[in-house]
Amino acid sequence: MKVFFKIWRQLNSDTKGQFHDYEVDNISSEMSFLEALDTLNESLVKKGESVIAFDHDCREGICGQCGVFINGRAHGPNDNTTTCQLHMRSFSQGDTIVVEPWRAKAFRVVKDLVVDRSSFDRIIQSGGFMSTKTGTAPEANSILIGKDVADYSMDAAACIGCGACVATCKNSSAALFTSAKITHLNSLPQGSPEQNARVLGMTNQMELEDFGHCSFTGACEIECPEQISISNIARMNHDLLKANLLK
Amino acid sequence: MKLDAKIPKGELEKKWSNYQANCNLVNTANKKKFDIIVVGSGLAGAGAAATLAELGYKVKCFCYQDSPRRAHSVAAQGGINAAKNYQHDGDSVWRMFYDTLKGGDFRSREANVYRLAELSAPLIDHFTAQGVPFAREYGGVLSNRSFGGVQVQRTFYARGQTGQQLLVAAYSQLSKMVASGGVTMFTREEMLDLVTIDGKARGIVTRDLETGEIKKHSAHAVVLATGGYSRVFRLSTLAIGCNGSAIWSAHKKGALFAGPSFTQIHPTALPQTSESQSKLTLMSESLRNDGRIWVPLKANDSRKAEDIPEEERDYYLERRYPSFGNLCPRDIASRAAKERIDNGHGVGALKNAVYLDFKHAIARLGEDTVKDRYGNLFNMYEKITGINAYKEPMLISPAAHFSMGGLWVDYELMTTVNGLYAIGECNYSDHGANRLGANSLLQASIDGYFILPNTINNYLSTELNKEIPGVDHSEFSKSEKLVKEKIERLMNINGRKTVDEFHRELGAVMWQECAMSRNKLGLENAIEKIKEIKSSFWNEVIVTGSDKELNPELEKALRLSDFIELAELMCLDALERDESCGAHFREEFQTKEGEALRDDEKYSYVSAWEYNEGDYKVHKEKLEFEYIKPTVRSYK
């Protein structure tokens, strides 16, 4: 089928960007969205033009590296999916597809559709870990964790760090991302000794990185490929209040 | 060249503890005097970087992705093996050692494999302490399931996202050390050359993928943890960026390359649906616990799965391998699928798939239980194919997956270049000619967390208080110049064919001649074709844009230029080995029943290739089996 792309091109962080129009007519419905971009890029190379840069890697919906705004939605028209798992059967012959990079002050545009999400790494560096060492750890079954707690922790741990939650939020808040990690670790017995320091450190870093505040509209949960629940944000706020009281 | 595997003396069970007791140590106060480069930030790389920094070493860690959390370890789904014997089903370190050695068709070292099994149990404790939310039973204890090639339940898992959870744990530990200043992290920076001075690894040359700047980094030791190279087939289950460039540059600088042709074809990937496809998606092998694999009994049967009655279905794995059934190892399951597909029993639009059916499991266990065990995999399947696998069988097909081959390493995980280590999938060590499911996360993790941080001291202790050459040394300048010239040459060819066109050509040759089955004539032809592709690539490729910016085309071109050379070596290796073993199935060497025919008398060795301007020479590390007797590998 033939589709029209309207794609954001921007040379680097220091230059202004703008939309460019492209037409591609050898798209099949089985192709993933990224394969459609590959096809477009190959045609650009044939014409001697430089390719459109976009982030991607595993193309199995798990690495979290792919992510663009498609027709005004993070990762495209389907709920709870990554861009690599969006397929062209979700579009129709003759559609115009608008593609933009993630939109957030804390996500600098590196080039075209590629953004810098190192702010997420710095949030993790400020407490998203256990201070455990590699030497002898206690026997795993000596820490009993009920299935419900393990599942609850796993639900939050499933976050792939793609940034869709930030990009889709009106305030560019990183609350869903940060709270998912806090819930994953704080809900486990191994994570509880450091829970106060963790929530204080991570929320403080979130603010330093220029993410906006959460106003609980819930858009993040709708766009999250892993269906991370906004109830994690409530838990983060609860843990933060407690940590502040005990400070 | 004599290959010294440095296997410690003593009983098998005591080799690792003997090694630790007798190797040199570096005093805690002296550790800060050493710089170590770790290339790669997956389970092996992140684990090593975090642990080395925790011990006090100064570490620089590199990855080509935007964040170390993206490393391809993230994609492993099914689980990680450990001989905990929680199920009381007869498991033990010895049994795991035996299963792994047998699974690899007796083409790996006893001492390494035993250590793998030995360190598996504490690794689960370690990950649990780091907060990995492993699946639990209602009573709070850890849960297990089975994987191919074994008859016990020793696989630990976190839903279908075990790799993600282990990688995120390793990334958390890495993040902890970045925050403390122990690790300096370089993202979007790719190694393009290894620098050796006086026979020792002294640093690397990299390209900053965002600016195109060529950079030089020196260190006392270099650790490669760059993963597998199965993207040589183009279509594989690997992430798009996975490449062999770092290990290939190390190979060209003197590191021998072992068993390059040993690449695993995974039996449960989604089938290829079109020419334009960029990769194949893996479905976890764990699905074979409850899913039953079948094809129509009648060739060229065009009926829908639901219209084919039970008696007209061929559950070929259960038929051919009754004791292991659907849980036979990957090489066996892949070859059996190929055999059925080649004989006209394939299903799906391109007739290149087999069915993986959950009908019986749903009837036996109920949909809720199946959903609980594999729900996210079913969701993923539906996202990609649009098919609800609770209602109709999945379509699966073999796809290029793990590379057992890699840089030759000794027991210390050091390559044949002093001070250069290779850990995780990029080395050749524990898996032999075939890797058992759920052993890959294990090997990567113990290499990075437990083994390397011990063995590297033995080398570094000899380097204490010695000045190391800095990046102004002439060898660094020479490497930098070579890298720059290669990039300039690629940018100036201005040919007519895209990098992807060349990659498709290479992939087609490799899939046809050096994948699930190989033969002499096919391999010889493949070598000729690869030479033609190489010559054509350097005359006709087109790379647009500039080398001073983020340029994905240039990145691909550089990686493909290395894949082309590696492909030739893979075919040479497959040609040299006149036997069938594990993933290496030479058609000339098979039994009447079509099973692999191993030749222990002539080929019980690791082939380790030396590079000499494209004229490769094979060295042989003889495998000694002191504790077990290699037997015919049967899963019947």
Side-chain angles (χ1 to χ4, degrees):
Chain A
M1 64 188 187
K2 181 195 277 192
V3 292
F4 300 91
F5 283 109
K6 202 178 249 307
I7 297 180
W8 186 260
R9 301 295 310 255
Q10 185 172 338
L11 200 55
N12 53 47
S13 311
D14 302 326
T15 55
K16 281 192 172 176
Q18 59 182 333
F19 282 106
H20 281 237
D21 293 325
Y22 302 95
E23 181 185 319
V24 196
D25 62 3
N26 48 347
I27 299 291
S28 72
S29 59
E30 289 89 28
M31 269 183 193
S32 73
F33 186 81
L34 299 184
E35 283 165 355
L37 288 183
D38 290 339
T39 306
L40 168 58
N41 270 344
E42 209 165 346
S43 71
L44 292 178
V45 174
K46 289 269 188 195
K47 285 191 262 179
E49 294 175 26
S50 59
V51 295
I52 299 154
F54 61 93
D55 256 333
H56 62 102
D57 204 19
C58 81
R59 297 200 177 190
E60 290 189 11
I62 194 77
C63 78
Q65 185 147 325
C66 69
V68 284
F69 249 67
I70 301 164
N71 289 342
R73 284 191 69 180
H75 294 301
N78 302 338
D79 293 348
N80 311 120
T81 191
T82 52
T83 306
C84 65
Q85 300 212 316
L86 170 67
H87 285 70
M88 293 309 286
R89 59 177 167 268
S90 300
F91 300 94
S92 306
Q93 163 78 11
D95 274 0
T96 296
I97 306 169
V98 183
V99 193
E100 305 162 73
W102 283 157
R103 298 176 295 194
K105 195 177 168 190
F107 290 167
R108 170 181 65 93
V109 174
V110 174
K111 189 187 175 192
D112 299 337
L113 303 170
V114 174
V115 299
D116 176 356
R117 283 165 290 192
S118 54
S119 46
F120 272 12
D121 288 333
R122 289 187 290 274
I123 291 175
I124 299 297
Q125 287 158 18
S126 57
F129 49 78
M130 310 279 201
S131 296
T132 178
K133 293 218 172 194
T134 316
T136 315
E139 157 46 55
N141 263 352
S142 68
I143 309 168
L144 294 177
I145 304 173
K147 187 177 185 304
D148 51 346
V149 175
D151 285 351
Y152 174 66
S153 175
M154 180 64 223
D155 285 344
C159 168
I160 59 173
C162 63
C165 51
V166 171
T168 199
C169 174
K170 285 177 183 174
N171 300 333
S172 301
S173 166
L176 192 69
F177 168 80
T178 311
S179 67
K181 184 50 63 187
I182 288 170
T183 300
H184 161 210
L185 299 180
N186 282 11
S187 59
L188 295 172
Q190 308 94 301
S192 68
E194 294 175 286
Q195 60 177 312
N196 293 344
R198 178 173 300 120
V199 70
L200 288 168
M202 292 180 75
T203 51
N204 181 48
Q205 189 63 33
M206 196 166 67
E207 288 184 22
L208 290 175
E209 296 289 346
D210 259 348
F211 287 107
H213 204 274
C214 169
S215 54
F216 232 65
T217 60
C220 53
E221 184 182 88
I222 293 167
E223 298 298 29
C224 173
E226 292 295 329
Q227 297 175 268
I228 305 291
S229 163
I230 52 170
S231 64
N232 290 308
I233 302 177
R235 179 184 171 122
M236 174 175 75
N237 291 338
H238 168 266
D239 286 3
L240 182 60
L241 271 174
K242 199 171 71 176
N244 271 318
L245 281 170
L246 295 171
K247 204 159 50 170
Chain B
M1 186 184 292
K2 189 179 176 302
L3 289 171
D4 179 8
K6 296 188 205 153
I7 310 285
K9 291 194 168 60
E11 290 296 304
L12 189 60
E13 291 85 348
K14 291 185 181 152
K15 284 186 188 295
W16 179 233
S17 51
N18 281 351
Y19 175 84
Q20 287 178 290
N22 293 307
C23 68
N24 295 340
L25 296 178
V26 175
N27 179 320
T28 309
N30 284 331
K31 287 197 171 98
K32 60 177 178 295
K33 296 178 184 169
F34 289 105
D35 293 293
I36 302 172
I37 284 171
V38 178
V39 186
S41 64
L43 263 178
T51 309
L52 291 168
E54 214 171 75
L55 289 167
Y57 291 112
K58 286 187 288 175
V59 180
K60 283 180 172 181
C61 184
F62 296 81
C63 72
Y64 70 78
Q65 298 93 340
D66 72 327
S67 162
R69 70 172 298 144
R70 319 282 185 212
H72 194 55
S73 310
V74 81
Q77 295 162 349
I80 178 165
N81 284 338
K84 281 281 200 185
N85 196 24
Y86 281 163
Q87 306 298 332
H88 199 54
D89 54 4
D91 201 7
S92 64
V93 170
W94 181 269
R95 190 175 288 276
M96 185 171 167
F97 153 72
Y98 184 77
D99 284 344
T100 302
L101 208 65
K102 176 187 170 192
D105 225 347
F106 305 97
R107 290 293 172 261
S108 42
R109 278 183 213 132
E110 279 184 339
N112 282 57
V113 177
Y114 191 87
R115 178 173 64 180
L116 177 87
E118 182 185 354
L119 295 178
S120 65
L123 186 71
I124 298 301
D125 303 337
H126 178 60
F127 275 129
T128 301
Q130 287 182 1
V132 171
F134 284 119
R136 299 264 173 172
E137 304 293 346
Y138 284 99
V141 295
L142 289 147
S143 188
N144 292 105
R145 59 186 173 200
S146 285
F147 257 59
V150 304
Q151 290 173 309
V152 294
Q153 287 185 296
R154 69 163 71 102
T155 306
F156 293 78
Y157 62 101
R159 284 197 193 139
Q161 302 166 3
T162 318
Q164 183 205 25
Q165 290 311 311
L166 301 190
L167 191 264
V168 164
Y171 157 74
S172 298
Q173 296 300 303
L174 182 64
S175 301
K176 179 182 77 179
M177 296 319 298
V178 170
S180 75
V183 176
T184 309
M185 189 70 217
F186 296 83
T187 57
R188 292 198 201 275
E189 194 159 328
E190 184 163 14
M191 170 178 160
L192 294 183
D193 202 15
L194 173 77
V195 179
T196 57
I197 299 171
D198 299 330
K200 290 178 179 173
R202 288 304 188 195
I204 59 172
V205 171
T206 60
R207 179 168 181 269
D208 181 325
L209 301 182
E210 209 175 306
T211 63
E213 191 188 344
I214 303 300
K215 296 179 177 175
K216 297 174 282 188
H217 302 272
S218 70
H220 292 83
V222 176
V223 180
L224 301 184
T226 57
Y229 52 79
S230 288
R231 277 278 292 168
V232 72
F233 295 96
R234 181 171 169 87
L235 285 180
S236 79
T237 61
L238 267 58
I240 300 291
C242 288
N243 65 86
S245 290
I247 53 171
W248 194 248
S249 68
H251 174 54
K252 285 180 155 182
K253 288 287 175 78
L256 299 197
F257 207 120
S261 72
F262 289 174
T263 51
Q264 182 170 71
I265 309 300
H266 198 292
T268 59
L270 300 188
Q272 184 182 0
T273 54
S274 75
E275 273 298 301
S276 62
Q277 210 153 324
S278 60
K279 85 175 296 271
L280 297 169
T281 301
L282 178 70
M283 296 300 288
S284 168
E285 179 187 320
S286 66
L287 291 166
R288 291 199 275 148
N289 267 288
D290 290 307
R292 295 180 68 192
I293 293 173
W294 64 276
V295 289
L297 198 58
K298 199 170 74 183
N300 304 314
D301 192 334
S302 55
R303 288 176 293 175
K304 285 183 180 169
E306 67 204 47
D307 298 331
I308 302 177
E310 278 295 321
E311 60 276 14
E312 291 178 46
R313 298 176 174 198
D314 178 15
Y315 295 91
Y316 58 90
L317 289 179
E318 297 168 37
R319 169 170 59 78
R320 285 179 64 173
Y321 308 102
S323 62
F324 281 71
N326 292 294
L327 283 172
C328 65
R330 291 174 178 177
D331 57 330
I332 307 270
S334 292
R335 258 197 316 275
K338 181 178 190 292
E339 187 275 328
R340 288 291 76 192
I341 292 167
D342 287 350
N343 283 298
H345 297 266
V347 294
L350 300 180
K351 302 286 179 201
N352 59 351
V354 298
Y355 288 126
L356 175 63
D357 202 339
F358 283 85
K359 187 178 82 174
H360 308 87
I362 290 170
R364 191 177 81 246
L365 304 164
E367 194 169 310
D368 285 347
T369 305
V370 172
K371 205 170 264 180
D372 195 45
R373 288 183 188 173
Y374 313 106
N376 66 313
L377 297 168
F378 277 60
N379 290 344
M380 182 171 118
Y381 185 78
E382 190 165 8
K383 272 183 191 172
I384 295 170
T385 63
I387 296 169
N388 179 348
Y390 295 105
K391 306 275 178 234
E392 53 184 294
M394 288 182 180
L395 290 167
I396 55 161
S397 195
H401 185 53
F402 189 91
S403 37
M404 283 76 68
L407 295 182
W408 183 91
V409 287
D410 58 24
Y411 189 76
E412 296 186 315
L413 307 181
M414 198 200 274
T415 67
T416 47
V417 173
N418 277 332
L420 176 71
Y421 294 81
I423 60 175
E425 190 178 346
C426 76
N427 74 16
Y428 176 95
S429 65
D430 303 358
H431 307 301
N434 174 51
R435 176 178 65 79
L436 288 185
N439 266 353
S440 124
L441 294 174
L442 170 63
Q443 185 232 335
S445 304
I446 62 160
D447 278 7
Y449 278 121
F450 294 163
I451 302 172
L452 178 89
N454 276 288
T455 59
I456 202 167
N457 300 316
N458 214 23
Y459 171 74
L460 290 177
S461 62
T462 64
E463 295 285 300
L464 187 64
N465 296 327
K466 286 184 193 163
E467 273 295 305
I468 57 158
V471 293
D472 48 357
H473 190 281
S474 61
E475 285 298 324
F476 273 95
S477 314
K478 217 164 97 185
S479 268
E480 183 188 29
K481 189 165 167 271
L482 279 176
V483 165
K484 283 184 173 170
E485 280 171 0
K486 185 174 179 183
I487 291 171
E488 203 183 321
R489 192 176 158 201
L490 279 171
M491 297 302 301
N492 289 328
I493 295 170
N494 277 323
R496 290 172 293 117
K497 278 170 78 172
T498 65
V499 178
D500 286 334
E501 282 173 314
F502 281 109
H503 203 166
R504 278 184 215 112
E505 272 180 37
L506 180 73
V509 172
M510 292 302 284
W511 184 248
Q512 184 60 35
E513 307 297 355
C514 197
M516 256 177 295
S517 62
R518 300 104 187 253
N519 62 59
K520 188 168 184 287
L521 187 64
L523 288 163
E524 284 168 350
N525 287 338
I527 291 169
E528 287 313 305
K529 280 185 194 158
I530 292 165
K531 284 181 174 158
E532 283 165 26
I533 291 172
K534 184 177 176 182
S535 151
S536 164
F537 174 82
W538 285 104
N539 285 301
E540 290 182 53
V541 77
I542 176 168
V543 180
T544 56
S546 148
D547 61 333
K548 304 288 186 295
E549 60 174 351
L550 183 69
N551 187 341
E553 273 310 287
L554 176 59
E555 291 168 29
K556 283 194 292 190
L558 283 164
R559 292 166 193 161
L560 185 62
S561 70
D562 294 325
F563 275 142
I564 293 171
E565 295 181 11
L566 170 59
E568 187 188 339
L569 181 61
M570 289 169 70
C571 293
L572 276 173
D573 185 56
L575 197 54
E576 190 268 341
R577 193 170 278 276
D578 280 345
E579 65 159 352
S580 292
C581 59
H584 167 69
F585 188 77
R586 277 282 298 272
E587 288 159 12
E588 303 93 322
F589 308 99
Q590 55 179 306
T591 63
K592 275 183 201 152
E593 296 82 32
E595 305 296 342
L597 197 59
R598 220 176 55 221
D599 185 347
D600 288 339
E601 205 138 293
K602 287 189 190 147
Y603 294 96
S604 186
Y605 60 75
V606 178
S607 56
W609 296 84
E610 183 186 349
Y611 180 86
N612 184 17
E613 298 298 325
D615 184 16
Y616 301 95
K617 185 181 170 194
V618 67
H619 299 269
K620 296 168 184 175
E621 180 203 337
K622 189 159 171 42
L623 292 166
E624 307 282 355
F625 293 97
E626 203 181 333
Y627 297 91
I628 54 108
K629 191 177 177 302
T631 52
V632 174
R633 192 164 156 247
S634 168
Y635 294 92
K636 286 188 187 294

